[in-house]
Amino acid sequence: MTADASLPDDRATDDGTPDAATPDAATTDAGAADAAVTDVSPPGAGAASSRHTAPSPSGRGALHSPAAHLEVDPLLDDPRTRIVVCCGSGGVGKTTTAAALGVRAAERGRKAVVLTIDPARRLAQSMGISELDNVPRRVKGIDESTGGELHAMMLDMKRTFDEIVEAHADAERARAILDNPFYQSLSAGFAGTQEYMAMEKLGQLRSRDAWDLIIVDTPPSRSALDFLDAPKRLGSFLDGKFIRVLMAPAKAGGRAGMKFLNVGMSMMTGTLSKIMGGQLLRDVQTFAAAMDTMFGGFRTRADATYRLLQAPGTAFLVVAAPERDALREAAYFVERLAAEQMPLAGLVLNRVHGSGAAQLGAERALAAAEALVDRDRAAAEEPAGDRSENLGGDGIVDLAGGKADSRTADGHSPAAADPRTTDDTPSAARLAAGLLRLHAERMHVLARERRTRDRFTALHPEVPVAEIAALPGDVHDLAGLRAIGDRLASRERTADDTRQTEG
Amino acid sequence: MSRLHVVSGKGGTGKTTVAAALALALATEGRRTLLVEVEGRQGIAQVFETEALPYEERKIAVAPGPDGGGVYALAIDAERALLDYLQMFYKLGGAGRALKKLGAIDFATTIAPGLRDVLLTGKACEAVRRKDKRGRFVYDAVVMDAPPTGRITRFLNVNDEVAGLAKIGPIHNQAQAVMRVLKSPETAVHLVTLLEEMPVQETVDGIAELRAAGLPVGGVVINMTRPEVLDTGEVDIAANGARRGIAEALAEAGLRGGRRGAAGVKWADGLIDPLLEEAREHAQRVDLERAEHAELAGLDLPTYELELLPEGVDLAGLYRLARDLRKQGPI
C-alpha cells in the first residue's frame, strides 16, 4: 500500500476515525472483532482503517472533519478487491460512479468488468453497450498501457432468468417452463426479478473468473435494499411450502396428524381457486411442477450470492448526493449492511459543490450585491453625465488610476463618451452584483450540503467518505468518466476546504 | 377535470414533494384530497414532518385560506390491501390468516407478477370512486406519489398484464375495473423533471411509453428551477472587457480586504477569478437548461414550474410550492 505511505501525517489524527475496537456495528460480534480489521473489511478499506488504529485524543467528538477519507485508488489497486457494489437511492449517480470506477480501475491495470442495470442511453453508447445482449463487451478507448482492460454489460433480466432455466433443466422441461404464462410474467414483470437477476449475473461473472474486478451497479428499486432482499424472497418462495402446497394440495393436506393443517389446506386450495381463477392456479401449478427439480438450486444460488457479498474480496460503496433524503437512505443502508455483515468500504458523496472564494460569506456577498444594484439604479436615474459608475469597461478603466475611493464624488467622467445604455451592455457594477449573487447562492448550497453531510458523519463517524466535486453538466463519454474518477480519487475534500469564514 | 393525479418522475427530481404540494393545491375551497403513497418509503410523512403513516386515511394538513379543505394521507400497504380485499369480497378473515402463515399472502404481494401493483392501484381507484351516503365523492381528488418514470407505465399498465395472465376470474375482473379508471379522462399522469439532460430524456421517453399504453398524460412539472443571473455572453464580458471595472465595483461595495485605494481594488481583483469560475458554471448550466426547456416545450403538454427553495422544503416551503402551482392554473 504505497499510496497510504504518502499520506500526510496529520490526516490520521485529523480524521478522528474510531479504531477497530470501537463498538460499532461491524464488530458487535465479538468473535469477528479480529476479522473486522483484516478480513471482513474490504482490502482497500482495511488498509485505510488500519492507518487509524491509533486513536486520536480528539477522536470521535472532534468538531472538525469527523469522517475518515475514503481512499479509492488503494481499493481499486488492491488485487484482493474482486467485487465493488455501488448502491444508493435513485438519481444519485450510481451508474455513472460505477462506470467511472471501471474506467479508473482498468486504466490503473485491472482487468475490470462493469455490470450496469439501466444506464442512460448516451452513457451506454459511449461505452458501446447500448445493445442488450447480456454479454460483457470490451470498451474501446480505454488506455490499456498499464495492462488493464474494461468490459461492460447491461443486464437483460429476462434473458438471465431464461439462461438459468436452460442451464439447470433438461431441454423438454426447460421448454415447458419457458412457455408457461406464469413464468413469462414472473421473469419479465416481478418487481424483484431485476434484483435477483443482477445478483445472479454477478455470481456468473464471478465464477467465470475472467476478470479480476467486477463492479456492479444496483437496480433503481423501491428501496435501495431490494437487491439484498429480493433474491432471498424469490428463493424462499421457489422452495417454500406455499409452492409445494400449490403443487400437491392433496398430498400436503393428507398428512396424518395434521388436522388443523388439513382443514386449512382444503379451505385454502378452494380459496385460491376462487380468488385466482382456475386457469391461473393451473398455470402456477404447472410452473411449480416443472421447476421442482430446480428449487433447491435457487435457494443454494441465492445463498451463494449472499455469501459472495459478505466475502472479504467484496467492497460496498454507498453512493449519495449531499441531500437530505439521499443521505437518510444512505445512513439506513449503512446500518443494514452492518447488520448483514456486508463489507462497507465507504460513502461516495456525489456532486459536492466547492468555492474558490469561500472566505467571502453569503451574507456579505448579498449585501454588497444589493449595494451595487442600488447604486446602479440611483445612477441610472441621474442625468447621463453623472452615470460614471454604470459603465462597462472603458469608462471605469479611466477612473481606476488610483482615485477609486473618490469615485462617488466624481461626477463628470467618460460616461458621456459611451452612449450605450445599461440594457445593451451590463455595467461593471451590475456584472459585479451578478457575480456576487451567484457566489451567495453557491455559499448557501455549500452550507446546506455541509449540514446534511455532517448529520450523516455524526451518525456514522466510522464510515470513510470520498467526495466528487460537482460537474456543471451530465457525463456521457469516457473523458467525463475519467474526470469523475479523478475527482473521486482526489484527496481534497470539497466542502472541508471551503469552510465559510467571513472575509 | 381529472380526479386521480398520478405523480411520477425520475429518482431525485422531488416527485414526493410535488405530489404533496399538488394535494395541497387541490384542497382549496373546502375540497378534500387524498394523498397516497405506494412504495412503503414513508416519504409523505417526511414531507409533512409527521410520524410514520399507518395503513389508514388520516388528515395531515389543512389547506390555507378561509375555506381551506383538507389533505388526507394513506400509505398503501399491499399486504393489508390484500387482506382487506379478501375480507371485503370473500369474508375470509380466518382463511386470510392461514394464507398468511403459509406464505401465500407474501407470495401474492411480493412475488406474483403484477398482483402487488393491482392491489396498490386498486386501492387508489377505490378511493377515487368511493361515495358517501348522499352519493357525493368522498374525495374531490386523489394524488398518488407513484413509482419513478422508468417503472410507471408498467406499474399502471400491469393490470393489463394480469388481465392477460388471468384470463377469467376475480383477479381478471378486478384488474379490468382498475384499468378502466386508469385509462379514463378521470386520470392524469404527471411527470416531474429537472432541467437536466437525464431527467428530461426520461420524461420524453416516459411520455412516449404512457401514450403507447393508452394512459392519459397530464402535465410536466419542472421542479427546482433557478433564476438566470448571468448568461454566457455576460460572463464573457465580465471576464474580458469589464474586469477592471468589476474589481473597482467590488472594492467600492466594501469588498477590499480592509485596504484603501488601489490596494483595495487589487485585493478585490483577487476575488474575481473564483467568482468568474462559479459564474461560468452557472452560465454553462443556463445554456443546458435553455436547451432542455426547448426539448420539453416540444412535447406540447402543459408545463408547471416550481422554483428551487434554497433552504430545502420544510412545511412552509411546501405551502409555498402549493401556492405557486395554483397560480399556474388548473392542473
Side-chain angles (χ1 to χ4, degrees), chain A residues 90-91 120-122 157 181-182 185-186 188-192 220-223 233-234 237 241-242 245-246 260-261 264-265 267-268 271-272 274-277 279-280 283-284 323-325 328 354-357 359-360 364-365 368 371-372 375 389 392-393 396-397 399-402 404-405 407-408 425-426 428-432 434-439 441-442 444 448 451 470 472-474 476 503, chain B residues 10-12 38-41 46-47 49 85-86 90 92 94-95 98-99 101-104 106-107 110-114 116 148 151 154 161 164-171 196-199 201-202 205 226-227 229-230 234-235 237-238 241-242 244-246 248-250 252-256 259-262 265 267 271-272 274-279 281-282 284-285 288 308-313:
Chain A
R121 196 177 305 157
R122 284 175 68 183
M157 61 173 170
F182 181 79
S185 271
L186 181 71
F190 156 55
S221 309
R222 273 197 305 282
S223 101
R233 204 191 289 147
L234 190 62
F237 159 63
K241 52 181 171 182
F242 177 57
V245 170
L246 280 181
F260 166 76
L261 203 59
M265 285 310 147
M267 193 161 83
M268 203 206 67
T271 305
L272 281 176
K274 198 153 73 169
I275 297 169
M276 297 167 78
Q279 163 254 336
L280 175 56
D283 281 347
V284 176
E323 287 150 17
R324 191 183 54 180
D325 294 349
R328 187 191 289 129
S355 170
Q359 73 275 19
L360 176 58
R364 242 189 120 205
L372 284 170
R375 203 178 300 223
E389 298 148 39
I396 288 176
V397 171
L399 276 172
D405 274 354
R407 286 178 63 203
T408 43
T425 309
R430 285 205 0 206
L431 287 172
L435 291 177
L436 289 169
R437 257 196 239 115
L438 286 176
H439 178 65
E441 191 184 304
R442 173 66 61 97
H444 279 139
R448 196 179 63 237
R451 274 200 308 277
D474 280 337
H476 29 60
Chain B
K10 183 173 162 35
V38 294
E39 297 202 288
R41 289 188 299 119
Q46 283 161 20
V47 171
E49 298 170 14
Y85 178 85
L86 292 178
Y90 301 101
L92 280 180
L99 288 171
K101 219 170 169 183
L102 205 62
D106 197 38
F107 163 79
T110 63
I111 310 282
R116 178 190 183 82
R151 291 193 281 123
R154 166 157 253 153
E161 205 169 306
L165 186 71
K167 293 181 189 65
I168 44 165
I171 295 179
E196 290 171 15
E197 196 176 323
M198 273 163 56
Q201 189 57 53
E202 273 201 22
D205 294 348
R226 287 170 288 190
V229 179
L230 295 173
E234 288 164 330
V235 174
I237 294 172
R244 188 68 189 247
I246 290 171
E248 292 192 1
L250 292 174
E252 201 179 296
L255 304 175
R256 57 170 96 89
R259 294 171 177 81
R260 296 179 60 80
V265 176
W267 188 90
L271 279 177
I272 294 183
L275 295 190
L276 276 176
E277 180 60 31
E278 291 170 15
E281 290 176 15
H282 169 82
Q284 196 179 337
R285 208 191 66 214
L288 279 173
L308 174 78
L309 303 182
E311 288 308 306
V313 182

Side-chain angles (χ1 to χ4, degrees), chain A residues 46-62:
Chain A
S49 63
S50 65
R51 207 171 67 237
H52 303 296
T53 44
S56 67
S58 55
R60 195 195 274 263

Side-chain angles (χ1 to χ4, degrees), chain B residues 245-328:
Chain B
I246 290 171
E248 292 192 1
L250 292 174
E252 201 179 296
L255 304 175
R256 57 170 96 89
R259 294 171 177 81
R260 296 179 60 80
V265 176
K266 194 171 169 217
W267 188 90
D269 189 70
L271 279 177
I272 294 183
D273 281 330
L275 295 190
L276 276 176
E277 180 60 31
E278 291 170 15
R280 268 191 209 101
E281 290 176 15
H282 169 82
Q284 196 179 337
R285 208 191 66 214
V286 165
D287 285 350
L288 279 173
E289 287 184 356
R290 286 177 182 171
E292 300 305 333
H293 219 287
E295 173 106 32
L296 290 174
L299 289 172
D300 209 21
L301 285 170
T303 57
Y304 307 84
E305 299 199 11
L306 293 174
E307 254 180 58
L308 174 78
L309 303 182
E311 288 308 306
V313 182
D314 56 6
L315 213 46
L318 193 63
Y319 277 83
R320 195 181 136 189
L321 294 179
R323 202 176 57 229
D324 289 351
L325 268 181
R326 237 181 348 251
K327 271 194 289 197
Q328 297 178 52

Side-chain angles (χ1 to χ4, degrees), chain A residues 57-179:
Chain A
S58 55
R60 195 195 274 263
L63 285 173
H64 199 66
S65 325
H69 183 65
L70 168 66
E71 299 283 352
V72 170
D73 284 344
L75 178 68
L76 293 179
D77 292 347
D78 190 330
R80 289 172 299 170
T81 309
R82 302 298 304 273
I83 295 173
V84 173
V85 185
C86 295
C87 47
S89 51
V92 297
K94 276 191 302 272
T95 307
T96 310
T97 305
L101 285 169
V103 170
R104 191 166 184 88
E107 298 194 334
R108 293 176 71 87
R110 300 296 299 267
K111 198 175 174 205
V113 59
V114 175
L115 169 58
T116 67
I117 309 298
D118 189 18
R121 196 177 305 157
R122 284 175 68 183
L123 179 65
Q125 280 166 359
S126 75
M127 298 182 82
I129 51 164
S130 31
E131 275 174 48
L132 264 169
D133 58 3
N134 220 21
V135 176
R137 298 279 165 205
R138 189 153 176 177
V139 179
K140 296 190 188 79
I142 294 291
D143 173 7
E144 298 179 346
S145 59
T146 52
E149 282 173 29
L150 181 62
H151 299 244
M153 67 166 286
M154 189 155 74
L155 179 76
D156 179 340
M157 61 173 170
K158 174 147 180 53
R159 196 139 161 184
T160 305
F161 210 151
D162 291 354
E163 284 165 8
I164 302 176
V165 171
E166 283 161 354
H168 294 271
D170 57 65
E172 193 188 339
R173 201 183 275 266
R175 185 47 42 211
I177 296 173
L178 297 182
D179 289 343

Side-chain angles (χ1 to χ4, degrees), chain A residues 222-223 324-326 328-329 332, chain B residues 14-21 23 35-54 60 71-76 143-146 313-315 318:
Chain A
R222 273 197 305 282
S223 101
R324 191 183 54 180
D325 294 349
R328 187 191 289 129
E329 192 98 334
Y332 181 40
Chain B
K15 66 186 172 60
T16 302
T17 306
V18 171
L35 176 60
V36 299
E37 75 178 348
V38 294
E39 297 202 288
R41 289 188 299 119
Q42 289 294 340
I44 295 176
Q46 283 161 20
V47 171
F48 282 96
E49 298 170 14
T50 62
E51 73 268 38
L53 295 173
I60 52 165
V71 177
Y72 293 71
L74 169 68
I76 303 181
V143 179
M144 180 195 284
D145 176 16
V313 182
D314 56 6
L315 213 46
L318 193 63

Side-chain angles (χ1 to χ4, degrees), chain A residues 199-500:
Chain A
M199 292 302 110
E200 173 65 33
K201 198 75 202 176
L202 168 63
Q204 286 177 13
L205 292 177
R206 183 71 174 80
S207 65
R208 270 177 65 182
D209 220 20
W211 298 277
D212 60 21
L213 180 63
I214 303 167
I215 297 169
V216 205
D217 174 25
T218 51
S221 309
R222 273 197 305 282
S223 101
L225 306 174
D226 270 10
F227 79 91
L228 282 180
D229 295 330
K232 277 201 277 187
R233 204 191 289 147
L234 190 62
S236 70
F237 159 63
L238 290 176
D239 69 354
K241 52 181 171 182
F242 177 57
I243 204 145
R244 297 196 178 280
V245 170
L246 280 181
M247 243 162 40
K251 193 173 73 184
R255 273 181 202 148
M258 301 188 77
K259 195 147 192 283
F260 166 76
L261 203 59
N262 195 1
V263 174
M265 285 310 147
S266 53
M267 193 161 83
M268 203 206 67
T269 38
T271 305
L272 281 176
S273 175
K274 198 153 73 169
I275 297 169
M276 297 167 78
Q279 163 254 336
L280 175 56
L281 185 60
R282 268 193 306 281
D283 281 347
V284 176
Q285 284 171 334
T286 338
F287 167 75
M291 294 285 275
D292 191 22
T293 51
M294 294 172 60
F295 288 146
F298 270 98
R299 169 57 66 87
T300 313
R301 304 162 79 77
D303 287 350
T305 310
Y306 189 81
R307 278 197 305 278
L308 186 61
L309 292 177
Q310 286 179 323
T314 300
F316 279 84
L317 288 175
V318 178
V319 184
E323 287 150 17
R324 191 183 54 180
D325 294 349
L327 274 170
R328 187 191 289 129
E329 192 98 334
Y332 181 40
F333 205 95
V334 163
E335 288 149 24
R336 178 68 194 277
L337 285 174
E340 307 270 343
Q341 296 182 350
M342 302 274 176
L344 172 68
L347 174 77
V348 173
L349 207 48
N350 204 2
R351 298 190 210 117
V352 178
H353 290 86
S355 170
Q359 73 275 19
L360 176 58
E363 304 307 318
R364 242 189 120 205
L366 271 185
E370 267 166 42
L372 284 170
V373 170
D374 285 350
R375 203 178 300 223
D376 194 58
R377 193 175 296 132
E381 284 160 8
E382 286 169 25
D386 287 337
R387 293 195 299 137
S388 60
E389 298 148 39
N390 295 334
L391 296 177
D394 314 350
I396 288 176
V397 171
D398 240 24
L399 276 172
K403 42 172 187 166
D405 274 354
S406 62
R407 286 178 63 203
T408 43
D410 190 340
H412 43 296
S413 82
D418 189 342
R420 289 175 296 181
T421 66
T422 50
D423 290 333
D424 293 328
T425 309
S427 72
R430 285 205 0 206
L431 287 172
L435 291 177
L436 289 169
R437 257 196 239 115
L438 286 176
H439 178 65
E441 191 184 304
R442 173 66 61 97
M443 293 308 290
H444 279 139
V445 169
L446 249 63
R448 196 179 63 237
E449 291 180 352
R450 195 173 51 241
R451 274 200 308 277
T452 50
R453 189 202 61 173
D454 286 353
R455 202 176 317 163
F456 175 88
T457 51
L459 279 173
H460 294 288
E462 77 283 4
V463 178
V465 180
E467 296 182 353
I468 303 178
L471 290 164
D474 280 337
V475 169
H476 29 60
D477 53 19
L478 289 179
L481 291 176
R482 259 181 219 118
I484 296 267
D486 286 344
R487 285 164 183 237
L488 180 56
S490 134
R491 206 166 288 135
E492 281 172 32
R493 267 183 274 177
T494 323
D496 269 2
D497 292 344
T498 52
R499 269 182 195 264
Q500 184 171 342

